[in-house]
């Protein structure tokens, strides 16, 4: 016999199966968990270190997507090759792109490529996403709606505090040194929200390889602006950033590796960085320590 260690039954009353919510990224999984707590089963397809832009959908993923009661995905083509499948499923099932929560004017655009999908790095925008997810969950599970609403309000408070503390932290870096150089353009929203200039070696997707021209562009920028540190990303190969370090060394210019930033995936489960708030805090601390 199955039962749940919570106030509510996490089993679907019709199918007698655990109510299962599937998300693509860990960030979305964490948002859902903060709303439903133990009231539902939450599965995220893309674990630590996984790059969603280049992620290949497996047969097992398709099965999990088909069996889930609800699915939340990022949208704006973050999920690369999986995007079309998710869009098709959304026509008939409870499959939601959380980018629908955001007003078009809040989005950043890169040339002709389209909207930048990395909006989780602006905590204010993420609050809107959490509100959107909560609303969809409450509609799907009216018996748990009040519980979800309470959890959402409490979590929103935590996010508001996080937003304020990140803003204060980043402002502590002298304006001239406030330049964030990373492997790909994942931090555009972060830069806009927290007033730090961001430069990515690759564009908003990691699908296209970066060339020698991009590497030289960054090397020149580091030399001209006398930038202290550059950053690796946990879900992107270090190769091109190491080429930047080498390029700087060829000119006798010293630049440090500021550390690894969590860009498109959370850290390991059961660590601070395995949660959305922990990821944002860890990044802010790494950035401040390296650039201040
Ligand atoms: Zn990305």
């Amino acid at each position: 016999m199955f039962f749940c260690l919570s106030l509510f039954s996490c089993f679907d009353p019709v199918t007698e199966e655990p109510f299962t919510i599937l998300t693509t990224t860990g960030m979305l999984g964490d948002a859902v968990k903060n709303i439903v707590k133990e009231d539902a089963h939450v599965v995220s397809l893309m674990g630590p270190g996984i790059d969603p832009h280049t992620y290949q959908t497996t047969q097992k993923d398709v099965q999990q997507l088909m069996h889930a009661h609800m699915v939340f995905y990022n949208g704006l083509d973050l999920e690369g090759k999986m995007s079309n499948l998710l869009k098709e499923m959304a026509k008939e099932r409870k499959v939601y792109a959380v980018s629908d929560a955001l007003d078009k004017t809040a989005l950043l655009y890169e040339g002709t490529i389209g909207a930048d999908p990395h909006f989780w790095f602006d905590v204010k925008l993420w609050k809107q996403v959490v509100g959107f997810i909560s609303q969809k969950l409450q509609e799907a599970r009216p018996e748990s709606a009040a519980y979800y609403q309470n959890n959402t309000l409490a979590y929103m408070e935590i996010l508001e505090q996080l937003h304020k503390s990140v803003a204060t932290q980043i402002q502590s870096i002298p304006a001239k040194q406030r330049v964030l150089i990373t492997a790909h353009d994942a931090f555009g929203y972060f830069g806009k929200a927290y007033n730090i200039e961001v430069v990515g070696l690759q564009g908003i997707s990691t699908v296209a390889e970066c060339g020698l021209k991009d590497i030289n562009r960054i090397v020149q920028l580091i030399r001209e602006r006398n930038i202290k540190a550059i950053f690796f990303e946990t879900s992107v190969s270090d190769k091109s950033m190491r080429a930047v370090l080498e390029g700087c060394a060829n000119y006798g210019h010293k630049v440090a590796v500021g550390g690894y930033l969590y860009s498109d995936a959370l850290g390991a489960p059961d660590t601070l960085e395995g949660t959305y708030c922990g990821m944002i805090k860890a990044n802010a601390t790494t950035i401040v320590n390296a650039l201040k």
Side-chain angles (χ1 to χ4, degrees):
M1 191 184 151
F2 296 103
F3 63 94
C4 269
L5 294 171
S6 79
L7 288 172
F8 305 93
S9 163
C10 73
F11 288 84
D12 185 282
V14 182
T15 61
E16 287 291 313
E17 281 178 16
F19 192 86
T20 302
I21 302 153
L22 190 132
T23 72
T24 51
T25 68
M27 292 75 86
L28 286 168
D30 186 64
V32 174
K33 278 181 208 161
N34 274 288
I35 298 165
V36 302
K37 309 269 185 191
E38 323 76 25
D39 187 47
H41 184 53
V42 185
V43 178
S44 299
L45 293 181
M46 299 169 185
I50 300 291
D51 178 356
H53 302 287
T54 56
Y55 186 80
Q56 303 271 4
T57 313
T58 66
Q59 205 51 47
K60 193 183 163 209
D61 294 340
V62 176
Q63 276 173 7
Q64 284 189 292
L65 283 163
M66 300 307 288
H67 278 101
H69 293 86
M70 293 180 89
V71 176
F72 292 99
Y73 70 103
N74 191 85
L76 304 181
D77 282 333
L78 177 80
E79 287 89 352
K81 294 189 172 81
M82 198 187 269
S83 295
N84 285 339
L85 171 68
L86 292 162
K87 279 181 209 163
E88 271 310 306
M89 288 179 69
K91 289 177 188 167
E92 290 177 2
R93 308 194 47 221
K94 290 194 177 80
V95 175
Y96 304 102
V98 301
S99 54
D100 286 349
L102 305 174
D103 194 273
K104 297 261 180 299
T105 57
L107 300 177
L108 298 175
Y109 294 85
E110 189 181 87
T112 52
I113 297 173
D116 180 345
H118 305 87
F119 44 77
W120 57 92
F121 282 124
D122 177 341
V123 181
K124 286 262 183 200
L125 293 183
W126 196 243
K127 279 179 74 180
Q128 292 180 36
V129 166
V130 169
F132 172 87
I133 293 173
S134 179
Q135 187 200 330
K136 297 295 177 200
L137 288 166
Q138 290 181 46
E139 283 164 16
R141 305 262 286 167
E143 69 278 20
S144 299
Y147 178 63
Y148 292 172
Q149 181 61 15
N150 275 341
N151 293 343
T152 304
L153 291 176
Y155 189 51
M156 290 286 198
E157 276 296 311
I158 293 169
L159 292 178
E160 187 58 33
Q161 289 309 315
L162 177 70
H163 173 75
K164 284 180 185 155
S165 77
V166 172
T168 310
Q169 255 185 301
I170 299 298
Q171 290 314 295
S172 72
I173 304 168
K176 217 175 74 171
Q177 286 152 238
R178 229 180 284 146
V179 185
L180 180 61
I181 299 182
T182 58
H184 89 298
D185 265 334
F187 294 91
Y189 291 95
F190 185 85
K192 190 176 171 222
Y194 304 108
N195 192 20
I196 179 167
E197 188 182 341
V198 294
V199 181
L201 188 51
Q202 281 177 282
I204 55 173
S205 170
T206 57
V207 172
E209 292 262 319
C210 78
L212 197 58
K213 226 175 108 185
D214 298 305
I215 292 167
N216 287 336
R217 170 175 62 92
I218 304 280
V219 170
Q220 292 315 323
L221 180 90
I222 293 168
R223 292 178 63 218
E224 280 163 24
R225 307 273 300 267
N226 200 19
I227 289 161
K228 282 169 77 173
I230 60 172
F231 299 87
F232 292 164
E233 293 175 37
T234 59
S235 56
V236 181
S237 156
D238 298 346
K239 209 177 113 202
S240 350
M241 291 308 270
R242 294 205 182 273
V244 169
L245 290 174
E246 224 171 273
C248 289
N250 287 343
Y251 286 102
H253 184 96
K254 264 200 172 168
V255 63
V257 176
Y260 280 86
L261 299 179
Y262 296 92
S263 51
D264 294 4
L266 293 180
D270 303 322
T271 66
L272 182 67
E273 296 81 5
T275 67
Y276 170 79
C277 289
M279 164 206 224
I280 300 286
K281 277 183 203 163
N283 283 351
T285 303
T286 302
I287 293 166
V288 171
N289 287 346
L291 296 181
K292 209 170 162 178

